[in-house]
């Protein structure tokens, strides 16, 4: 019997599937690699498989979990966590995030990318469709980052297309240095985060235009409308903090995602920051998320006192259980975006 039973396609591409793991009885997402046999495809397939293996050792409550990588003679599958909810893109298309929701999403996003950067992994394709939001309660969203260095756009699968066409999928969120020299660094991800946060609060792209070329030119000129002009009610300190991610020069941007998260938590006069302080500690944050998920899915089952006691005991880890060691990835500095893969 086949372990992973395909249920349906996910998203707009034909490369990602919802499947059911018949052994562990859980739903998973499967990314199926191209089976083309030319040299470039083979090299890129190996690049993507290596990236997936590295990510499998990266543990964070806001980074999608990779369960397995299966290599075959004709291609390969990446078996990963199936993330419920909706994309940031779809949520913001209905209406921009309110301030409390924004703070919760921003802190989780920064914490996730900070952890990846601290282990030598860049994302390289941050955009609203790669951020999943699951509504919990009290305007809270569980935020999950997808697709580290794994762009899925079919627009990126042809060798004959120009570099302009190859970056159309992320054109509103791509850093000037990537446009100019295809150079990706931590600062490039930070710039993309700034674009994402601007979009989440306003529903508008900071750099817009009628064509990809015009949009790229706006990035190069650093031509965007100050966010407080679009949302006057926002605190000035928050606007200044956000726009620090959007500077043209890499050295002028906020130094790191961890530094950005710390600065966010120190902003004064912003209601709701205290409620997300747990996110600065990844261990506390994971417990917070689980508590929120539990409270958002309460049932009407009533336990007896004895049953409640047994249930509480069952939640405690055994003395022999220890956290899995993080796979060291500090040597992985130079990143190559594995295009033409899907």
């Amino acid at each position: 019997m086949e372990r992973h039973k395909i249920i349906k396609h996910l998203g707009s591409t034909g490369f990602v599937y919802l499947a059911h793991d018949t052994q562990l009885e859980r739903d998973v997402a499967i990314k199926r690699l191209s089976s083309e046999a030319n040299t470039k495809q083979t090299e890129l397939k190996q690049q993507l498989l290596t990236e997936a293996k590295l990510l499998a050792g990266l543990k964070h409550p806001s980074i999608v979990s990779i369960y397995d990588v299966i290599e075959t003679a004709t291609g390969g599958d990446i078996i990963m966590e199936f993330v419920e909810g909706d994309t940031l893109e779809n949520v913001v298309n209905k209406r921009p995030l309110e301030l409390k929701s924004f703070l919760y999403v921003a802190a989780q996003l920064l914490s996730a990318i900070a952890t990846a950067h601290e282990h030598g992994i860049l994302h390289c394709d941050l955009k609203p469709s790669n951020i999943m939001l699951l509504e919990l309660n009290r305007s809270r969203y569980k935020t999950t980052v997808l697709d580290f260095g794994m762009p899925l756009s079919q627009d990126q699968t042809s060798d004959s297309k120009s570099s302009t066409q190859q970056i159309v999928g992320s054109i509103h969120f791509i850093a000037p240095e990537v446009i100019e020299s295809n150079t990706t660094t931590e600062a490039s991800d930070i710039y993309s985060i700034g674009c994402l946060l601007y979009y989440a609060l306003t529903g508008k792209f900071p750099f817009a235009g009628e064509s990809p070329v015009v949009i790229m030119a706006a990035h190069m000129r650093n031509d965007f409308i100050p966010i407080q002009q679009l949302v006057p009610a926002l605190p000035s300190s928050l606007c200044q903090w956000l726009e620090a991610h959007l500077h043209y020069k890499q050295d002028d941007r906020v130094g790191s995602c961890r530094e950005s998260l710390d600065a966010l938590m120190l902003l004064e006069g912003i209601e709701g920051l205290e409620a997300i302080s747990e996110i600065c500690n990844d261990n506390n944050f994971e417990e917070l998320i689980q508590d929120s998920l539990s409270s958002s899915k309460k049932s009407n089952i009533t336990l007896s006192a004895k049953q409640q006691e047994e249930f509480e005991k069952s939640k405690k880890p055994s003395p022999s259980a220890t956290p899995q060691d993080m796979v060291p990835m500090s040597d992985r500095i130079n990143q190559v975006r594995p295009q033409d893969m899907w």
Side-chain angles (χ1 to χ4, degrees), residues 13 15 125 127 150-157 165-166 168-169 340 342:
T13 72
F15 310 114
D125 197 28
K127 56 188 177 184
M150 303 180 196
L152 296 179
S153 173
Q154 288 176 308
D155 292 335
Q156 298 178 352
T157 60
Q165 289 173 307
Q166 289 180 342
V168 164
D340 303 330
W342 304 96

Side-chain angles (χ1 to χ4, degrees), residues 32-330:
R32 185 148 287 170
L33 278 62
S34 169
S35 60
E36 293 183 24
N38 66 64
T39 302
K40 185 174 182 181
Q41 287 290 73
T42 300
E43 291 175 354
L44 290 172
K45 184 194 82 170
Q46 195 57 48
Q47 165 88 26
L48 186 53
L49 289 172
T50 300
E51 187 84 11
K53 291 173 183 176
L54 292 171
L55 287 171
L58 193 60
K59 305 300 181 185
H60 189 281
S62 291
I63 295 176
V64 64
S65 296
I66 294 181
Y67 300 140
D68 201 1
V69 176
I70 301 173
E71 298 184 58
T72 66
T74 57
D77 289 344
I78 299 175
I79 315 299
M80 58 205 318
E81 170 190 5
F82 170 61
V83 181
E84 296 184 89
D86 208 347
T87 64
L88 176 64
E89 181 177 34
N90 289 339
V91 171
V92 172
N93 278 343
K94 296 174 185 175
R95 67 173 183 175
L97 297 182
E98 297 177 355
L99 181 56
K100 287 185 179 180
S101 298
F102 169 82
L103 294 172
Y104 209 65
V105 170
Q108 293 174 75
L109 174 60
L110 286 166
S111 178
I113 303 302
T115 298
H117 286 177
E118 287 159 6
H119 290 81
I121 295 179
L122 304 181
H123 191 289
C124 302
D125 197 28
L126 284 162
K127 56 188 177 184
S129 60
N130 280 342
I131 310 298
M132 291 293 294
L133 303 182
L134 176 62
E135 189 169 7
L136 302 175
N137 51 29
R138 299 192 300 275
S139 300
R140 291 181 173 185
Y141 287 96
K142 180 185 186 303
T143 304
T144 306
V145 183
L146 311 177
D147 295 334
F148 279 75
M150 303 180 196
L152 296 179
S153 173
Q154 288 176 308
D155 292 335
Q156 298 178 352
T157 60
S158 171
D159 293 341
S160 64
K161 296 193 176 183
S162 69
S163 58
T164 299
Q165 289 173 307
Q166 289 180 342
I167 60 176
V168 164
S170 308
I171 195 67
H172 292 99
F173 305 93
I174 197 164
E177 62 271 15
V178 180
I179 297 172
E180 200 166 35
S181 61
N182 202 28
T183 300
T184 55
T185 64
E186 290 184 13
S188 306
D189 276 351
I190 288 170
Y191 183 93
S192 296
I193 288 173
C195 294
L196 271 172
L197 298 180
Y198 186 107
Y199 171 80
L201 275 174
T202 66
K204 299 180 182 298
F205 303 123
F207 304 97
E210 297 178 354
S211 70
V213 172
V214 174
I215 297 169
M216 286 192 290
H219 282 289
M220 302 306 291
R221 296 194 307 269
N222 203 234
D223 183 16
F224 65 91
I225 299 173
I227 192 169
Q228 201 161 34
Q229 289 187 24
L230 298 176
V231 190
L234 288 177
S236 297
S237 60
L238 180 69
C239 297
Q240 293 170 5
W241 167 83
L242 191 156
E243 290 173 4
H245 300 73
L246 293 174
H247 289 296
Y248 173 81
K249 293 183 178 180
Q250 298 181 56
D251 291 343
D252 292 340
R253 296 172 202 158
V254 61
S256 69
C257 288
R258 190 69 65 188
E259 180 182 323
S260 174
L261 179 57
D262 291 343
L264 173 63
M265 302 309 299
L266 291 175
L267 294 180
E268 296 181 354
I270 299 180
E271 183 180 355
L273 277 178
E274 299 82 1
I276 62 170
S277 60
E278 297 92 338
I279 295 175
C280 292
N281 183 316
D282 293 341
N283 293 327
N284 290 344
F285 175 53
E286 186 164 12
E287 184 176 343
L288 173 71
I289 285 295
Q290 293 304 322
D291 290 344
S292 298
L293 282 170
S294 299
S295 63
S296 68
K297 297 180 179 180
K298 287 182 179 178
S299 67
N300 295 321
I301 297 175
T302 302
L303 301 179
S304 67
K306 184 177 180 181
Q307 288 173 326
Q308 184 66 37
E309 183 180 355
E310 291 177 350
F311 174 70
E312 292 300 329
K313 287 182 179 179
S314 70
K315 294 195 295 182
K316 296 179 180 180
S318 64
S320 61
T322 57
Q324 182 180 355
D325 292 335
M326 185 73 73
V327 175
M329 294 177 247
S330 57

